[in-house]
Amino acid sequence: MNELPIKSIAVYKHGVGYYTRRSKTESNLVKLKFPKEHMDDILKSITTIDYGKGQILGIDFETAQNTESKLSRSTIDLGIEDNLIHLISDLQGKKIILHLENKSIQGVLVGIDESKQTEIWGTKRISILDLETSQVSIVMIGDIKQIEILDSNALGDLQYYLNTVSANELYSEMTIRLDDSPHDLVASYIAPAPIWTVNYRFICGKEEKGLVQGWAIFHNSLDEDLKDVKFSFITGMPISFIYKLYNSFTPERPMVEEDIRTVEAPIEYSSAPKKKSSKRLLGAAAGASFEMEEVDALLGSVPDSDEYDTTSAYQSSVNTEVETSDREESFQYKVKNPVSVERGKSAMIPILSSEMEYSKIYMYNKDKFSKNPSAILKFKNSSGLILEKGPIMILDEEGYLGEGILEYTTKEGEALVAYSIDLSVKVYIDYNNHQEINSISLKDSFLIMKKYEYHSTEYKIANSDMKSKKLIIEHPMYNSGYELIHTIAPLETLGNLYRFEVELEPSTETICAIKERKLVSSSNSSYLKNNQIKKFIDDKIISSEDAKILQTIQEKYEEIDSLNKEIKKIQSNMDKILKKQAEVRKNIETLKSSEEKEFRQKFVQELMNLNQQHSQYESEIPKLEKKISELEKEISTYKFGK
């Protein structure tokens, strides 16, 4: 049994507990026992403080070895059977005193005769050397009344052996060494602990006011009873880990041979001055603050009642005296009334009782329930506390309504708890995907056409109930880059979900159509066919007025197209002239004699005519290009489109 009782426990959500033990004592040794698998955490975290007048001298603990390894370090091995025979054998060469019926013999044990011929146990013979007389005496083991061990090492090994075999293999003992003054000793540490869980009750009252009750569940996995212990339940998740400290490890070192060296003067280093401290503090978490409060009155009795008709009855039935505190990274429920939990048992401890306003709504999410919406209890956490995640049961004055999961809820946060399925409302879904050109606009004399991909979802909601209802549809965003179009505005957006509110009339079918689109392409064009313009009008992409403007623009583009063709034709003729000129020049160069003079003049005249034609064509192109520029400028003055 531990000599320091547990006074407080802080339980966390990630499998550790912070335990505080405290007691007044005048002893100079205080023993604690811990499961061996907890020792790494204990050694890492144990903090000891003496609030009395004494000081803590040190902490000892058993080496991490199994019984067989420990016994191998002893010269004494009593075995499983014939323990006395094994003891006498192991005392060979040790000083002892054999006490017989009428005398005692002191000397060094020579040995025991264990011959197979000696079948009767009491007739086995022990021989002992008397150092003063140098005589060996022989004694029957049956005549020995007592063996006194004079060898201190052998006696120590025997005590070590007996302590080792009697020790519990599952536990390790830790000893806190104190001075001789009176002590008010506190030891705190972390150790593995079952996580604390919480469950809730929500009692729906009249006028949309209800009562929330919260119960923390603690499992006593310790090997001791807990009596009048102050509990704290901590949300959040401080960093915690296991660090191997209990099991010793001796690494191999390299062998270095001695070198022949000459004598050198000694090298000295100055040590840092020791700092004086008046605090009596020892442990891995030295410097940590510790607070002890006087124990409040025990948990008040709960009135015995078989009926719970109102929220006030529920509220008066449970004593929830809890202090709370924000600790930056976590939130703490500190139960004011001490609690007792026997070893191997668990306890439900009330930590919350608060009135809150609530409402009931209906919510549909196809991924959570494909055919029907869920009945949702919606309330704002006005308790001033953080609500840890846990199951919650919903009741009203007539009894059980359903149950759900309350997610982690911050102060003033909104909680939504699905507690029932509404079978009176059925939802059917139709999908449609298509692409279409959505808009045409004019920019820099070019027609810009935008093509979108559309994803449409149609919710058909059949309400067979005789009451009207408000239904919230959780609609997943189709894909990245999509936007809502021609759809009612969402009530809110939550992550990748839209929430739409729909009014359901009694015994009617309501349709909620949600349309999303994404731009997939944008193209430039200077020409559209007449049938394309007609389709744009039919699809209401453009108006009839815009169609007239577009038709005029098309005529301008056709004129520009005709002028461009004419320019190309002229450029083609100019290329032909240049080729013809090259041929004529080549012919002129071949005519050099006087007889060929007439032919030469003829080719020269032809070359001059070609030059004149080329110049005429060349002068036409700027005129045509100017006309095209004027037409494009005129087109840019038109305004239409989305």
Side-chain angles (χ1 to χ4, degrees):
M1 179 177 177
N2 286 311
E3 297 176 6
L4 286 181
I6 292 177
K7 292 297 184 181
S8 68
I9 300 176
V11 192
Y12 292 81
K13 295 291 288 185
H14 62 323
V16 298
Y18 182 69
Y19 300 85
T20 301
R21 297 175 179 271
R22 185 173 189 174
S23 181
K24 293 182 178 181
T25 180
E26 294 186 1
S27 172
N28 58 4
L29 293 178
V30 174
K31 296 184 181 296
L32 299 172
K33 282 188 177 181
F34 301 103
K36 288 187 175 180
E37 64 267 23
H38 295 181
M39 283 300 293
D40 287 319
D41 279 324
I42 304 299
L43 294 173
K44 172 166 61 79
S45 63
I46 189 164
T47 304
T48 54
I49 306 174
D50 192 343
Y51 284 98
K53 297 180 180 180
Q55 286 189 326
I56 301 160
L57 303 180
I59 299 177
D60 302 334
F61 61 95
E62 295 177 354
T63 305
Q65 290 181 315
N66 58 32
T67 301
E68 185 177 350
S69 299
K70 289 181 179 180
L71 293 179
S72 66
R73 303 167 67 101
S74 173
T75 60
I76 302 295
D77 184 1
L78 301 183
I80 299 175
E81 298 179 349
D82 296 331
N83 308 116
L84 183 58
I85 302 297
H86 284 287
L87 174 61
I88 294 172
S89 297
D90 291 339
L91 290 176
Q92 187 177 27
K94 305 293 191 297
K95 288 184 178 181
I96 63 171
I97 299 176
L98 297 179
H99 295 281
L100 307 178
E101 185 72 32
N102 298 315
K103 66 175 181 176
S104 297
I105 304 174
Q106 179 176 336
V108 176
L109 181 65
V110 176
I112 183 171
D113 183 0
E114 294 189 81
S115 172
K116 293 182 180 179
Q117 297 176 357
T118 310
E119 297 180 355
I120 302 174
W121 182 85
T123 60
K124 290 182 181 291
R125 294 172 300 206
I126 295 176
S127 52
I128 183 171
L129 172 64
D130 189 331
L131 295 177
E132 293 183 0
T133 62
S134 300
Q135 293 180 350
V136 175
S137 300
I138 299 174
V139 179
M140 295 294 181
I141 193 171
D143 296 334
I144 299 173
K145 302 300 181 183
Q146 185 179 349
I147 300 176
E148 185 177 347
I149 302 173
L150 301 179
D151 188 289
S152 59
N153 291 330
L155 182 59
D157 278 358
L158 177 58
Q159 291 173 337
Y160 173 79
Y161 181 92
L162 295 174
N163 290 336
T164 301
V165 296
S166 64
N168 192 326
E169 271 290 309
L170 301 177
Y171 290 85
S172 181
E173 187 174 82
M174 178 175 283
T175 303
I176 302 174
R177 292 184 287 106
L178 309 169
D179 64 8
D180 294 330
S181 305
H183 305 280
D184 184 1
L185 184 63
V186 173
S188 56
Y189 53 88
I190 67 165
I195 65 170
W196 72 279
T197 53
V198 63
N199 59 93
Y200 300 93
R201 317 287 183 269
F202 195 105
I203 300 92
C204 300
K206 297 176 181 178
E207 298 179 355
E208 296 191 335
K209 289 186 178 180
L211 176 70
V212 180
Q213 290 181 348
W215 296 77
I217 296 179
F218 169 78
H219 303 280
N220 183 8
S221 60
L222 303 172
D223 291 327
E224 59 186 291
D225 294 339
L226 300 176
K227 184 173 178 57
D228 296 341
V229 174
K230 299 185 73 174
F231 278 89
S232 295
F233 300 99
I234 316 295
T235 66
M237 190 175 293
I239 294 173
S240 185
F241 50 86
I242 296 174
Y243 198 95
K244 291 293 183 183
L245 295 172
Y246 184 49
N247 291 283
S248 61
F249 171 69
T250 305
E252 292 186 4
R253 294 176 293 165
M255 176 68 73
V256 179
E257 295 183 356
E258 184 70 23
D259 293 332
I260 298 174
R261 295 168 294 188
T262 59
V263 176
E264 299 285 352
I267 301 174
E268 297 182 2
Y269 291 93
S270 298
S271 61
K274 295 182 179 180
K275 295 182 179 180
K276 294 183 179 180
S277 174
S278 60
K279 286 190 177 180
R280 298 181 288 276
L281 175 65
L282 181 70
S289 63
F290 180 87
E291 178 183 353
M292 286 298 297
E293 299 176 357
E294 294 300 322
V295 176
D296 296 323
L298 293 178
L299 187 65
S301 60
V302 177
D304 187 12
S305 176
D306 295 329
E307 295 184 356
Y308 300 92
D309 295 329
T310 63
T311 56
S312 60
Y314 279 101
Q315 192 169 19
S316 63
S317 298
V318 179
N319 186 341
T320 54
E321 292 191 57
V322 177
E323 293 178 353
T324 60
S325 62
D326 282 306
R327 304 174 65 187
E328 294 187 3
E329 300 85 5
S330 61
F331 185 82
Q332 178 176 225
Y333 298 88
K334 193 171 184 180
V335 181
K336 293 179 66 176
N337 295 321
V339 178
S340 297
V341 186
E342 293 180 11
R343 173 182 177 181
K345 293 190 176 182
S346 302
M348 286 179 62
I349 304 168
I351 58 172
L352 167 66
S353 182
S354 177
E355 287 187 344
M356 299 182 191
E357 294 183 353
Y358 73 94
S359 61
K360 292 181 181 179
I361 61 174
Y362 298 90
M363 188 172 291
Y364 175 78
N365 185 312
K366 69 178 182 64
D367 295 325
K368 295 180 179 177
F369 208 84
S370 61
K371 294 297 183 184
N372 307 94
S374 302
I376 305 288
L377 186 75
K378 177 181 178 182
F379 63 92
K380 185 177 182 180
N381 178 17
S382 57
S383 65
L385 311 176
I386 288 177
L387 304 182
E388 185 62 63
K389 180 179 180 180
I392 180 169
M393 185 171 69
I394 313 301
L395 307 103
D396 64 8
E397 293 182 346
E398 296 182 4
Y400 174 78
L401 292 177
E403 55 196 78
I405 297 295
L406 176 63
E407 296 294 335
Y408 183 91
T409 308
T410 59
K411 298 176 185 178
E412 301 301 319
E414 186 180 82
L416 297 175
V417 179
Y419 65 91
S420 181
I421 303 300
D422 186 358
L423 299 178
S424 66
V425 177
K426 291 187 178 180
V427 183
Y428 307 90
I429 306 177
D430 288 329
Y431 299 102
N432 179 266
N433 287 59
H434 69 282
Q435 291 187 355
E436 64 180 46
I437 295 174
N438 175 265
S439 67
I440 301 174
S441 59
L442 188 65
K443 184 178 181 182
D444 299 330
S445 303
F446 284 96
L447 293 170
I448 300 174
M449 294 178 288
K450 293 183 178 180
K451 181 184 285 186
Y452 288 85
E453 180 172 287
Y454 289 86
H455 176 75
S456 300
T457 306
E458 187 177 81
Y459 293 91
K460 294 180 181 178
I461 309 155
N463 179 21
S464 61
D465 203 335
M466 298 302 293
K467 298 185 298 182
S468 61
K469 298 180 179 181
K470 284 185 179 180
L471 176 67
I472 294 175
I473 297 174
E474 282 194 341
H475 176 78
M477 296 178 184
Y478 181 61
N479 265 322
S480 177
Y482 280 76
E483 61 179 351
L484 291 173
I485 183 173
H486 306 317
T487 303
I488 60 173
L491 187 66
E492 58 185 350
T493 302
L494 186 67
N496 63 343
L497 290 173
Y498 295 116
R499 282 180 176 168
F500 297 95
E501 187 175 79
V502 182
E503 293 282 350
L504 304 182
E505 296 298 327
S507 303
T508 58
E509 183 179 276
T510 304
I511 294 178
C512 176
I514 299 171
K515 195 172 186 180
E516 298 164 273
R517 73 175 185 181
K518 179 182 181 181
L519 180 65
V520 292
S521 68
S522 180
S523 59
N524 299 338
S525 177
S526 60
Y527 183 75
L528 292 174
K529 296 179 181 179
N530 288 331
N531 61 341
Q532 286 180 300
I533 296 175
K534 184 178 183 303
K535 186 176 186 307
F536 292 153
I537 296 173
D538 294 340
D539 293 343
K540 297 182 180 181
I541 296 174
I542 59 175
S543 64
S544 56
E545 290 78 9
D546 284 344
K548 291 177 183 178
I549 298 173
L550 187 58
Q551 189 66 50
T552 303
I553 293 172
Q554 288 298 105
E555 291 172 359
K556 301 293 182 184
Y557 274 128
E558 288 173 3
E559 189 175 350
I560 290 172
D561 189 44
S562 177
L563 291 172
N564 281 324
K565 288 179 180 178
E566 190 173 345
I567 290 173
K568 287 182 180 179
K569 184 177 179 181
I570 290 172
Q571 289 173 337
S572 176
N573 290 335
M574 289 173 66
D575 291 340
K576 290 178 181 179
I577 289 173
L578 291 174
K579 289 180 182 179
K580 185 64 176 176
Q581 285 177 331
E583 292 176 2
V584 171
R585 288 191 182 95
K586 190 175 181 181
N587 290 334
I588 291 174
E589 290 176 358
T590 60
L591 300 174
K592 296 181 179 179
S593 63
S594 57
E595 292 84 3
E596 297 173 322
K597 183 178 180 180
E598 183 178 349
F599 290 104
R600 184 181 179 86
Q601 291 177 345
K602 183 178 179 181
F603 282 130
V604 170
Q605 184 62 44
E606 184 178 0
L607 184 61
M608 292 175 64
N609 292 337
L610 289 171
N611 283 338
Q612 187 177 4
Q613 290 178 18
H614 188 275
S615 298
Q616 289 176 349
Y617 280 133
E618 195 172 28
S619 64
E620 286 295 322
I621 290 177
K623 296 176 183 178
L624 296 173
E625 288 177 341
K626 182 180 179 182
K627 204 167 184 179
I628 290 172
S629 179
E630 290 173 351
L631 288 169
E632 288 177 343
K633 188 175 181 181
E634 187 177 350
I635 290 172
S636 66
T637 61
Y638 291 103
K639 302 293 181 184
F640 82 98
K642 298 177 182 178

